[in-house]
DNA sequence: ATGTCAAATAATATCGATATTTTTGGAGCA
DNA sequence: TGCTCCAAAAATATCGATATTATTTGACAT
């Protein structure tokens, strides 16, 4: 009755919208680790009711981006070197499993999808930053999603997001040293298109370990 | 003001209580897979307000025990042989990682904890069923929790719960063929106490694969 | 009979307000 | 000065009611 001023219906439910926006703010560090998340404050920020905010925070709790403290409300999940290293370990383990399964199921439509995602990612790397993050994730998930293992993909996606957060925190989001990430991605793609599981996983894991070491070195003890 | 008739304060918040009870009902099959979960109906069952019910359902969504459908409410997550097999696969992978890390960190207090949990489980196996389930999970999680990898433990716990559900569905909860589960547990325990990671993981995975095959054979295509 | 559409019904999503609990800020006392 | 305890303030958790959205029902036309 009141709103609907949006020129385009972009979000279905208020809850989902709040979820997406809060998630974004936590991933980018706009809401820093450990910060108390007061309902009223967020209600103002997102201008919506308390119920959608609460529900969004509940969902984020299960993504491990928000912690619920007894009866004392919510806070953005804290970070630590320990936590970062666990994320890296699990990603290497789970993504290897997923990538091998993906390659085992390889077919032409998957290869097409991969090539497309890779192309879009390259194109986006010339443009805006946030845009690139989305395309980067889409490429990495496309590598894995032919495994047809939804639980595994969900975990990979969650861990990817948790990791992204450390990138933003360590470097304001952009430093993300352009190293030779482009070449690394190309190697992974080529190996995947060749159905060479060993080479693809080796390159993928090297890719993670390398950025992992870089970020780890940036972190205080 | 009204309630607080409970002889003992057993649950802190209404939300948490609703979460636990709904989770239980889904795991045991009291709320069967695919069933529509109407707020009003649950509000009656748990006699609490709509907000705690909604929040509990949100949390269960992220445990993958409940699905949220667009703007059409919630339903108990469906089951399938495929889903079961994925759970089995991931459990074998993740629990091996966790168990090896646990053993690598082995110390006396962990060994004591293990022995205790194992003892309690054996004792509970003579008594009530639901009691045993809790003790069984506690033993299995104790095997893993010395890994000190909280994310990994969380995933293992989630997958354990998803699996328990198939046990209840396949066999009304008790058939759980007493096979030689006791001996299997003993072998795992002994290997862990010996710090023999290879033997422990082999026994653990065999344990899962064996019950997995049994349950798989029980399922319709 | 059958398919379509509109009104009625039911269920969800959201809001505003209240009750409970935690935290804060002193006032009184050792 | 430092500590305990109590009152005031703030924040959370929960409730009841409303608006919104899906589903069903039944009348009408084909």
């Amino acid at each position: 009755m009141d709103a609907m001023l949006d020129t385009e219906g972009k979000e279905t439910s208020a809850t989902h919208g709040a979820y997406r926006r809060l998630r974004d703010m936590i991933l980018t560090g706009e809401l820093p680790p450990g910060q108390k998340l007061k309902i009223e404050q967020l209600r103002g920020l997102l201008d919506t009711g308390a119920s959608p905010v609460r529900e969004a925070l509940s969902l984020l709790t299960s993504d491990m981006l928000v912690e619920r403290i007894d009866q004392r409300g919510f806070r953005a999940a804290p970070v630590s070197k320990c936590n970062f290293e666990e994320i890296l370990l699990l990603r290497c383990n789970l993504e290897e499993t997923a990538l091998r399964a993906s390659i085992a199921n390889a077919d032409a439509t998957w290869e097409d999808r991969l090539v497309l995602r890779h192309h879009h990612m390259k194109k986006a790397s010339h443009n805006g930053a946030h845009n690139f993050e989305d395309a980067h994730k889409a490429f990495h998930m496309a590598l894995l999603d032919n495994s047809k293992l939804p639980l595994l993909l969900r975990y990979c996606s969650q861990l990817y997001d948790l990791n992204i957060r450390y990138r933003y925190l360590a470097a304001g989001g952009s430093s993300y040293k352009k190293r030779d990430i482009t070449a690394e991605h190309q190697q992974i793609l080529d190996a995947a298109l060749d159905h060479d599981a060993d080479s693809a996983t080796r390159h993928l894991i090297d890719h993670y370990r390398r950025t992992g070491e870089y970020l780890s070195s940036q972190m205080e003890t």
Side-chain angles (χ1 to χ4, degrees), chain A residues 148-174:
Chain A
K148 311 278 174 50
L149 296 170
L151 298 177
L152 179 55
L153 289 172
R154 186 191 166 93
Y155 288 147
C156 288
S157 171
Q158 263 184 18
L159 291 167
Y160 183 97
D161 288 344
L162 290 176
N163 186 67
I164 248 189
R165 190 163 171 238
Y166 282 92
R167 279 219 309 267
Y168 276 105
L169 292 169
S174 83

Side-chain angles (χ1 to χ4, degrees), chain A residues 22-83:
Chain A
L22 285 175
R23 182 161 155 276
D24 239 55
M25 288 198 274
I26 293 171
L27 290 184
T28 60
E30 194 176 336
L31 292 173
Q35 174 153 117
K36 185 81 206 301
L37 301 175
K38 302 184 204 178
I39 306 286
E40 269 306 304
Q41 161 201 338
L42 299 177
R43 217 199 59 68
L45 251 167
L46 308 172
D47 91 296
T48 180
S51 312
V53 171
R54 279 190 71 77
E55 218 171 300
L57 288 172
S58 282
L59 292 171
L60 289 165
T61 292
S62 304
D63 291 342
M64 291 168 294
L65 287 169
V66 164
E67 275 186 4
R68 150 177 260 153
I69 336 161
D70 204 34
Q71 257 115 333
R72 251 157 284 178
F74 303 86
R75 72 173 48 176
V79 294
S80 68
K81 191 159 183 166
C82 229
N83 180 244

Side-chain angles (χ1 to χ4, degrees), chain A residues 17-214:
Chain A
Y19 171 75
R20 291 288 295 267
R21 292 211 44 207
L22 285 175
R23 182 161 155 276
D24 239 55
M25 288 198 274
I26 293 171
L27 290 184
T28 60
E30 194 176 336
L31 292 173
Q35 174 153 117
K36 185 81 206 301
L37 301 175
K38 302 184 204 178
I39 306 286
E40 269 306 304
Q41 161 201 338
L42 299 177
R43 217 199 59 68
L45 251 167
L46 308 172
D47 91 296
T48 180
S51 312
V53 171
R54 279 190 71 77
E55 218 171 300
L57 288 172
S58 282
L59 292 171
L60 289 165
T61 292
S62 304
D63 291 342
M64 291 168 294
L65 287 169
V66 164
E67 275 186 4
R68 150 177 260 153
I69 336 161
D70 204 34
Q71 257 115 333
R72 251 157 284 178
F74 303 86
R75 72 173 48 176
V79 294
S80 68
K81 191 159 183 166
C82 229
N83 180 244
F84 174 72
E85 280 162 3
E86 185 180 359
I87 291 164
L88 182 61
L89 174 81
L90 292 179
R91 288 185 84 204
C92 289
N93 185 340
L94 294 180
E95 295 211 11
E96 168 157 4
T97 304
L99 181 54
R100 286 184 184 276
S102 257
I103 290 174
N105 294 335
D107 61 12
T109 73
W110 177 56
E111 292 166 17
D112 292 352
R113 217 170 346 140
L114 267 188
V115 170
L116 263 181
R117 290 298 173 199
H118 183 253
H119 173 66
H120 291 157
M121 180 179 65
K122 279 205 299 191
K123 204 167 61 181
S125 94
H126 301 305
N127 310 350
H130 206 284
N131 199 353
F132 173 72
E133 284 298 348
D134 289 347
H136 186 243
K137 178 169 182 181
F139 172 65
H140 273 279
M141 292 307 295
L143 281 167
L144 311 176
D145 73 9
N146 206 46
S147 65
K148 311 278 174 50
L149 296 170
L151 298 177
L152 179 55
L153 289 172
R154 186 191 166 93
Y155 288 147
C156 288
S157 171
Q158 263 184 18
L159 291 167
Y160 183 97
D161 288 344
L162 290 176
N163 186 67
I164 248 189
R165 190 163 171 238
Y166 282 92
R167 279 219 309 267
Y168 276 105
L169 292 169
S174 83
S175 127
Y176 194 5
K177 208 163 171 176
K178 282 275 176 319
R179 208 178 48 229
D180 212 358
I181 265 187
T182 306
E184 290 174 28
H185 283 143
Q186 188 68 54
Q187 289 174 316
I188 299 167
L189 175 67
D190 290 343
L193 292 176
D194 280 354
H195 305 182
D196 184 342
D198 291 333
S199 167
T201 58
R202 192 174 55 249
H203 286 304
L204 182 68
I205 288 180
D206 280 358
H207 179 56
Y208 289 147
R209 290 253 161 76
R210 230 172 294 183
T211 64
E213 269 164 38
Y214 169 68

